[in-house]
Amino acid sequence: MEKKPRSWRTLQTVERATEVIRVLSELDGAGVSTVAERLDMSVSSAHSQLATLHETGYLIKEDGQYKLSYTFLLLGEYVRNSSALFQFGRPEADRLADETGHHVHLFTEERGLGVNIYESRGEHAGDYEYQSMKLQHREPLHVTASGKAILASMDRTEVRAILNRHGLEQYTENTITDEQTLFEELDRIQEQGYAVNNEEEIRGFRAVAAPVQANSGTVIGSISVAGPARLFDNREFIGEFSENVVDAANMIQVSINMSSLDY
Protein backbone atom coordinates (compact mmCIF):
# COMPACT_ATOMS: atom_id res chain seq x y z
CA MET A 1 0.00 0.00 0.00
CA GLU A 2 1.39 3.40 -1.00
CA LYS A 3 1.83 5.67 2.01
CA LYS A 4 1.02 9.35 1.68
CA PRO A 5 3.35 11.95 3.20
CA ARG A 6 2.10 12.91 6.64
CA SER A 7 1.87 16.47 7.91
CA TRP A 8 3.62 17.07 11.23
CA ARG A 9 0.34 18.47 12.51
CA THR A 10 -1.52 15.16 12.24
CA LEU A 11 -1.67 12.48 14.93
CA GLN A 12 -0.56 9.12 13.59
CA THR A 13 -2.97 7.19 15.82
CA VAL A 14 -5.95 9.17 14.49
CA GLU A 15 -4.66 8.85 10.94
CA ARG A 16 -4.40 5.10 11.39
CA ALA A 17 -7.93 4.95 12.75
CA THR A 18 -9.29 6.65 9.63
CA GLU A 19 -7.38 4.17 7.49
CA VAL A 20 -8.92 1.28 9.42
CA ILE A 21 -12.39 2.75 8.87
CA ARG A 22 -11.72 3.15 5.15
CA VAL A 23 -10.52 -0.46 4.80
CA LEU A 24 -13.56 -1.83 6.65
CA SER A 25 -15.79 0.20 4.35
CA GLU A 26 -14.05 -1.13 1.23
CA LEU A 27 -14.13 -4.76 2.43
CA ASP A 28 -17.58 -4.62 4.03
CA GLY A 29 -15.99 -5.79 7.25
CA ALA A 30 -12.82 -7.70 8.06
CA GLY A 31 -10.89 -9.51 10.77
CA VAL A 32 -7.77 -8.35 12.58
CA SER A 33 -5.26 -10.15 10.35
CA THR A 34 -6.85 -8.84 7.15
CA VAL A 35 -6.78 -5.25 8.39
CA ALA A 36 -3.16 -5.66 9.51
CA GLU A 37 -2.18 -7.02 6.10
CA ARG A 38 -4.03 -4.34 4.13
CA LEU A 39 -2.47 -1.53 6.16
CA ASP A 40 0.98 -3.09 6.55
CA MET A 41 0.80 -2.92 10.34
CA SER A 42 1.36 -5.42 13.10
CA VAL A 43 -1.50 -7.65 14.22
CA SER A 44 -1.29 -6.19 17.74
CA SER A 45 -1.58 -2.63 16.41
CA ALA A 46 -4.51 -3.59 14.21
CA HIS A 47 -6.20 -5.26 17.17
CA SER A 48 -5.71 -2.16 19.32
CA GLN A 49 -7.20 0.09 16.67
CA LEU A 50 -10.19 -2.19 16.06
CA ALA A 51 -10.80 -2.77 19.78
CA THR A 52 -10.75 0.96 20.49
CA LEU A 53 -13.17 1.77 17.66
CA HIS A 54 -15.40 -1.08 18.82
CA GLU A 55 -15.34 0.07 22.44
CA THR A 56 -16.25 3.64 21.45
CA GLY A 57 -19.21 2.49 19.36
CA TYR A 58 -17.89 3.06 15.86
CA LEU A 59 -17.60 -0.64 15.03
CA ILE A 60 -19.58 -3.78 15.70
CA LYS A 61 -18.05 -7.24 15.97
CA GLU A 62 -19.70 -10.38 14.62
CA ASP A 63 -18.00 -13.79 14.44
CA GLY A 64 -14.55 -12.20 14.63
CA GLN A 65 -15.33 -9.70 11.87
CA TYR A 66 -15.41 -5.96 12.52
CA LYS A 67 -17.90 -3.80 10.63
CA LEU A 68 -18.86 -0.13 10.67
CA SER A 69 -21.70 0.63 13.07
CA TYR A 70 -24.80 2.76 12.62
CA THR A 71 -22.95 5.54 14.41
CA PHE A 72 -21.69 6.57 10.98
CA LEU A 73 -25.26 6.74 9.69
CA LEU A 74 -26.25 9.03 12.56
CA LEU A 75 -23.26 11.29 11.96
CA GLY A 76 -23.92 11.31 8.22
CA GLU A 77 -27.55 12.27 8.72
CA TYR A 78 -26.47 15.13 10.96
CA VAL A 79 -24.03 16.41 8.34
CA ARG A 80 -26.56 16.08 5.53
CA ASN A 81 -29.38 17.70 7.50
CA SER A 82 -27.08 20.64 8.25
CA SER A 83 -26.69 21.32 4.52
CA ALA A 84 -28.73 24.13 2.98
CA LEU A 85 -28.58 22.27 -0.33
CA PHE A 86 -30.28 19.26 1.24
CA GLN A 87 -32.75 21.20 3.39
CA PHE A 88 -34.07 23.36 0.57
CA GLY A 89 -33.16 21.15 -2.37
CA ARG A 90 -34.89 17.91 -1.44
CA PRO A 91 -38.44 19.09 -2.28
CA GLU A 92 -37.24 20.42 -5.64
CA ALA A 93 -35.33 17.21 -6.36
CA ASP A 94 -38.47 15.17 -5.69
CA ARG A 95 -40.53 17.50 -7.86
CA LEU A 96 -37.99 17.33 -10.69
CA ALA A 97 -37.94 13.52 -10.52
CA ASP A 98 -41.73 13.45 -10.74
CA GLU A 99 -41.71 15.93 -13.61
CA THR A 100 -39.03 14.23 -15.72
CA GLY A 101 -39.49 10.64 -14.59
CA HIS A 102 -35.74 10.12 -14.25
CA HIS A 103 -32.93 10.06 -11.67
CA VAL A 104 -32.28 13.35 -9.88
CA HIS A 105 -29.28 14.06 -7.64
CA LEU A 106 -28.27 16.85 -5.31
CA PHE A 107 -24.50 17.17 -5.46
CA THR A 108 -21.85 19.21 -3.68
CA GLU A 109 -18.07 19.56 -3.66
CA GLU A 110 -15.67 18.89 -0.81
CA ARG A 111 -11.86 18.83 -0.98
CA GLY A 112 -11.97 18.86 -4.78
CA LEU A 113 -14.25 15.83 -5.16
CA GLY A 114 -17.99 15.47 -5.62
CA VAL A 115 -20.46 14.11 -3.08
CA ASN A 116 -24.02 13.11 -3.95
CA ILE A 117 -26.12 13.92 -0.89
CA TYR A 118 -29.60 12.99 -2.13
CA GLU A 119 -31.19 10.89 -4.86
CA SER A 120 -34.79 10.95 -6.06
CA ARG A 121 -36.25 8.58 -8.66
CA GLY A 122 -38.99 9.28 -11.16
CA GLU A 123 -41.35 6.68 -12.58
CA HIS A 124 -39.10 5.91 -15.56
CA ALA A 125 -35.90 5.70 -13.53
CA GLY A 126 -34.66 2.16 -13.72
CA ASP A 127 -33.21 0.33 -10.76
CA TYR A 128 -29.63 1.07 -11.72
CA GLU A 129 -27.25 0.07 -8.94
CA TYR A 130 -24.62 2.47 -10.28
CA GLN A 131 -26.90 5.46 -9.68
CA SER A 132 -27.73 4.40 -6.13
CA MET A 133 -24.06 3.70 -5.35
CA LYS A 134 -23.31 7.35 -6.09
CA LEU A 135 -24.45 8.10 -2.55
CA GLN A 136 -21.66 5.93 -1.16
CA HIS A 137 -18.52 7.33 -2.75
CA ARG A 138 -16.88 10.54 -3.88
CA GLU A 139 -16.30 11.15 -7.57
CA PRO A 140 -14.12 13.42 -9.69
CA LEU A 141 -15.76 16.64 -10.81
CA HIS A 142 -14.76 16.58 -14.48
CA VAL A 143 -16.74 13.45 -15.43
CA THR A 144 -20.22 14.53 -14.34
CA ALA A 145 -22.61 17.32 -15.31
CA SER A 146 -23.04 18.08 -11.60
CA GLY A 147 -19.30 18.42 -11.08
CA LYS A 148 -18.71 20.53 -14.17
CA ALA A 149 -21.52 22.88 -13.14
CA ILE A 150 -19.64 23.52 -9.90
CA LEU A 151 -16.21 23.75 -11.55
CA ALA A 152 -17.56 26.41 -13.94
CA SER A 153 -18.32 28.66 -10.96
CA MET A 154 -14.78 28.45 -9.59
CA ASP A 155 -11.79 30.65 -10.24
CA ARG A 156 -9.59 28.94 -12.82
CA THR A 157 -6.67 28.93 -10.38
CA GLU A 158 -8.82 26.90 -7.99
CA VAL A 159 -9.82 24.55 -10.80
CA ARG A 160 -6.16 23.99 -11.70
CA ALA A 161 -5.37 23.17 -8.08
CA ILE A 162 -8.12 20.51 -8.12
CA LEU A 163 -6.84 19.07 -11.39
CA ASN A 164 -3.28 18.95 -10.07
CA ARG A 165 -4.52 17.04 -7.03
CA HIS A 166 -7.00 14.65 -8.64
CA GLY A 167 -6.11 14.62 -12.34
CA LEU A 168 -8.36 14.09 -15.36
CA GLU A 169 -8.92 10.35 -15.32
CA GLN A 170 -10.62 8.90 -18.38
CA TYR A 171 -13.81 6.94 -17.71
CA THR A 172 -15.15 6.61 -21.28
CA GLU A 173 -14.10 7.72 -24.74
CA ASN A 174 -16.15 10.90 -24.17
CA THR A 175 -14.42 11.93 -20.93
CA ILE A 176 -12.59 15.26 -21.12
CA THR A 177 -8.94 14.53 -20.31
CA ASP A 178 -7.30 17.76 -21.52
CA GLU A 179 -7.13 20.87 -19.33
CA GLN A 180 -7.65 23.36 -22.16
CA THR A 181 -10.65 21.44 -23.49
CA LEU A 182 -12.12 21.36 -20.00
CA PHE A 183 -11.65 25.12 -19.55
CA GLU A 184 -13.42 25.74 -22.87
CA GLU A 185 -16.26 23.53 -21.66
CA LEU A 186 -16.45 25.44 -18.37
CA ASP A 187 -16.68 28.73 -20.29
CA ARG A 188 -19.66 27.36 -22.24
CA ILE A 189 -21.31 26.20 -19.03
CA GLN A 190 -20.94 29.66 -17.50
CA GLU A 191 -22.51 31.23 -20.56
CA GLN A 192 -25.47 28.87 -20.92
CA GLY A 193 -26.13 28.26 -17.21
CA TYR A 194 -26.10 24.46 -17.23
CA ALA A 195 -23.70 21.54 -17.79
CA VAL A 196 -24.07 18.36 -19.83
CA ASN A 197 -22.63 14.89 -19.29
CA ASN A 198 -22.67 13.19 -22.67
CA GLU A 199 -21.79 9.63 -21.61
CA GLU A 200 -18.56 10.97 -20.07
CA GLU A 201 -18.85 9.05 -16.80
CA ILE A 202 -20.47 5.83 -17.97
CA ARG A 203 -21.50 4.64 -21.41
CA GLY A 204 -25.21 4.79 -22.04
CA PHE A 205 -26.02 7.48 -19.48
CA ARG A 206 -26.46 11.21 -20.02
CA ALA A 207 -27.19 13.99 -17.58
CA VAL A 208 -27.74 17.72 -17.35
CA ALA A 209 -27.11 19.84 -14.24
CA ALA A 210 -27.37 23.42 -13.03
CA PRO A 211 -25.47 25.15 -10.21
CA VAL A 212 -27.24 26.16 -6.99
CA GLN A 213 -26.30 29.42 -5.32
CA ALA A 214 -26.69 30.51 -1.71
CA ASN A 215 -27.82 34.02 -0.82
CA SER A 216 -24.17 35.06 -0.66
CA GLY A 217 -23.84 34.26 -4.35
CA THR A 218 -21.55 31.31 -3.62
CA VAL A 219 -22.31 28.09 -5.50
CA ILE A 220 -23.02 25.45 -2.85
CA GLY A 221 -23.79 22.56 -5.17
CA SER A 222 -25.83 21.48 -8.16
CA ILE A 223 -28.94 19.58 -9.14
CA SER A 224 -29.03 17.13 -12.04
CA VAL A 225 -31.34 14.85 -13.98
CA ALA A 226 -29.91 11.72 -15.61
CA GLY A 227 -31.14 8.82 -17.64
CA PRO A 228 -30.30 6.28 -20.36
CA ALA A 229 -28.95 7.85 -23.54
CA ARG A 230 -31.54 5.96 -25.60
CA LEU A 231 -34.29 7.89 -23.81
CA PHE A 232 -32.51 11.24 -24.06
CA ASP A 233 -32.65 12.41 -27.66
CA ASN A 234 -30.66 15.57 -28.26
CA ARG A 235 -33.58 17.98 -28.50
CA GLU A 236 -35.28 16.78 -25.32
CA PHE A 237 -32.03 16.33 -23.47
CA ILE A 238 -30.51 19.72 -24.20
CA GLY A 239 -33.76 21.65 -24.42
CA GLU A 240 -36.49 20.58 -22.02
CA PHE A 241 -34.29 18.98 -19.37
CA SER A 242 -31.87 21.89 -19.21
CA GLU A 243 -34.79 24.25 -18.59
CA ASN A 244 -36.10 21.91 -15.91
CA VAL A 245 -32.84 21.76 -13.95
CA VAL A 246 -32.19 25.50 -14.25
CA ASP A 247 -35.71 26.20 -12.94
CA ALA A 248 -35.18 23.75 -10.07
CA ALA A 249 -31.83 25.32 -9.17
CA ASN A 250 -33.42 28.77 -9.20
CA MET A 251 -36.24 27.62 -6.93
CA ILE A 252 -33.76 26.19 -4.43
CA GLN A 253 -31.90 29.49 -4.44
CA VAL A 254 -35.14 31.40 -3.86
CA SER A 255 -36.02 29.14 -0.93
CA ILE A 256 -32.59 29.69 0.61
CA ASN A 257 -32.82 33.45 0.12
CA MET A 258 -36.27 33.54 1.73
CA SER A 259 -35.11 31.63 4.78
CA SER A 260 -33.96 33.37 7.94
CA LEU A 261 -30.77 31.31 7.91
CA ASP A 262 -27.50 32.81 6.73
CA TYR A 263 -25.82 30.70 4.04
Side-chain angles (χ1 to χ4, degrees), residues 15-163:
E15 193 174 320
R16 275 300 200 185
T18 64
E19 292 172 350
V20 168
I21 291 168
R22 176 183 55 78
V23 165
L24 293 178
S25 173
E26 292 173 352
L27 299 180
D28 193 25
V32 176
S33 59
T34 300
V35 172
E37 181 179 353
R38 284 290 294 264
L39 294 178
D40 191 23
M41 60 195 304
S42 68
V43 171
S44 61
S45 295
H47 180 268
S48 295
Q49 287 282 351
L50 291 164
T52 300
L53 289 168
H54 177 254
E55 191 68 25
T56 53
Y58 288 92
L59 302 181
I60 60 172
K61 184 179 181 182
E62 296 177 345
D63 299 325
Q65 299 287 299
Y66 290 90
K67 295 185 177 183
L68 303 186
S69 77
Y70 284 121
T71 297
F72 289 97
L73 175 63
L74 300 177
L75 293 173
E77 281 296 302
Y78 166 76
V79 173
R80 187 169 72 160
N81 290 335
S82 300
S83 162
L85 180 63
F86 177 73
Q87 289 180 41
F88 300 101
R90 180 170 57 173
E92 281 302 313
D94 291 338
R95 182 194 62 78
L96 185 59
D98 289 341
E99 182 178 351
T100 64
H102 293 292
H103 287 273
V104 173
H105 286 96
L106 294 174
F107 180 99
T108 191
E109 176 269 337
E110 186 178 68
R111 299 173 67 89
L113 293 172
V115 181
N116 288 279
I117 64 173
Y118 183 67
E119 177 195 33
S120 188
R121 298 185 184 186
E123 63 177 334
H124 303 306
D127 188 20
Y128 299 102
E129 182 180 5
Y130 184 84
Q131 292 295 315
S132 297
M133 291 294 290
K134 280 177 166 288
L135 297 174
Q136 298 183 34
H137 63 83
R138 299 174 187 268
E139 54 193 18
L141 300 176
H142 72 286
V143 301
T144 66
S146 296
K148 290 189 292 182
I150 293 175
L151 283 175
S153 72
M154 294 179 174
D155 180 89
R156 294 301 179 259
T157 301
E158 187 177 2
V159 175
R160 283 194 177 92
I162 290 174
L163 300 185

Side-chain angles (χ1 to χ4, degrees), residues 87-88 215 254-263:
Q87 289 180 41
F88 300 101
N215 49 26
V254 168
S255 296
I256 294 174
N257 290 343
M258 292 177 64
S259 74
S260 59
L261 303 177
D262 184 21
Y263 291 102

